[in-house]
Amino acid sequence: MSTNVLANAQELNTEPTPAAELISSVQSSSVPTTPASTALATIDFKLVGQADLDLLWFSVYSAKLMSVDGEYKNQQYPLKLEIQYHRDIDAEDLIEATVEQWQHIGIEQSRIPQLQAHLEGIWPDVKQGDTLSFMMHEQNKGQFFYNEQPLAMILEPGFADAFLGIWLSENTSRPKLRQQLIGVKK
């Protein structure tokens, strides 16, 4: 806990606020609900495809890709990727796995720290049953949702494509999962 929080609590002669409450209040106050995030949350998305990620003998997550017409087309917006976790994973581990996948799909190494910075401080630790979704409003506008609650809106050029590219890029580390998500029929 920061010294300022402890000092302020001592000054007021109260107990310091637990870190989880501070993070929650900062996240909710720094991410206002925008008309775009509210409108996108009410869009009737249709399922394009779904897939499960299993490693060895355990299930990591189930993913669903959704669009307004139930079909995947490159550069189609809005688009929603929803991931429901089947195990507890720390935010730090999620971010590390994301960075590894960005490297795998060929995101320029010098660009990764800038993309990574958008995830730090907004991604929570996930518990079994939690859902983390990403909705791409348009090419350079995307938003994360945690258990249906809006998190940060990210306007960084290329971020949305880089993030979704982990699953949707032809260079993905999991081509079978990609095919299932984009609705390729065999």
Side-chain angles (χ1 to χ4, degrees):
M1 189 172 305
S2 78
T3 351
N4 291 342
V5 173
L6 288 172
N8 290 342
Q10 289 170 345
E11 210 173 86
L12 297 172
N13 198 22
T14 62
E15 289 296 312
T17 305
E21 287 179 35
L22 288 173
I23 291 168
S24 175
S25 68
V26 168
Q27 285 177 339
S28 61
S29 66
S30 65
V31 184
T33 302
T34 64
S37 69
T38 303
L40 196 57
T42 62
I43 290 176
D44 183 24
F45 284 102
K46 293 176 178 52
L47 182 67
V48 174
Q50 57 190 9
D52 294 321
L53 177 65
D54 299 318
L55 296 176
L56 299 176
W57 55 88
F58 59 91
S59 180
V60 179
Y61 63 73
S62 295
K64 294 179 183 176
L65 183 65
M66 292 166 268
S67 70
V68 292
D69 63 2
E71 294 184 25
Y72 173 71
K73 298 174 201 91
N74 195 21
Q75 302 299 309
Q76 170 186 315
Y77 316 109
L79 195 62
K80 178 181 179 183
L81 177 71
E82 181 180 286
I83 300 173
Q84 182 176 41
Y85 291 89
H86 300 300
R87 55 185 300 111
D88 297 355
I89 305 174
D90 293 337
E92 184 178 310
D93 292 335
L94 286 174
I95 293 169
E96 183 180 313
T98 300
V99 167
E100 288 171 6
Q101 290 303 309
W102 280 335
Q103 292 167 337
H104 181 86
I105 64 172
I107 300 296
E108 190 176 314
Q109 189 63 36
S110 63
R111 184 116 163 79
I112 290 176
Q114 185 176 3
L115 297 174
Q116 180 180 347
H118 289 287
L119 303 177
E120 294 171 343
I122 65 162
W123 268 8
D125 295 337
V126 295
K127 303 290 182 207
Q128 182 177 359
D130 284 346
T131 301
L132 190 60
S133 303
F134 184 72
M135 295 186 191
M136 188 172 182
H137 298 256
E138 54 193 56
Q139 186 170 7
N140 292 318
K141 187 176 186 182
Q143 183 169 21
F144 286 101
F145 288 77
Y146 175 63
N147 292 331
E148 305 290 327
Q149 298 303 308
L151 297 177
M153 179 77 67
I154 300 176
L155 304 175
E156 175 75 28
F159 179 88
D161 282 329
F163 184 74
L164 290 176
I166 292 169
W167 293 270
L168 304 180
S169 166
E170 292 181 6
N171 297 328
T172 183
S173 65
R174 308 233 184 278
K176 185 176 178 183
L177 190 135
R178 175 187 183 266
Q179 288 186 329
Q180 292 171 333
L181 285 175
I182 65 173
V184 171
K185 308 289 185 230
K186 290 198 170 195

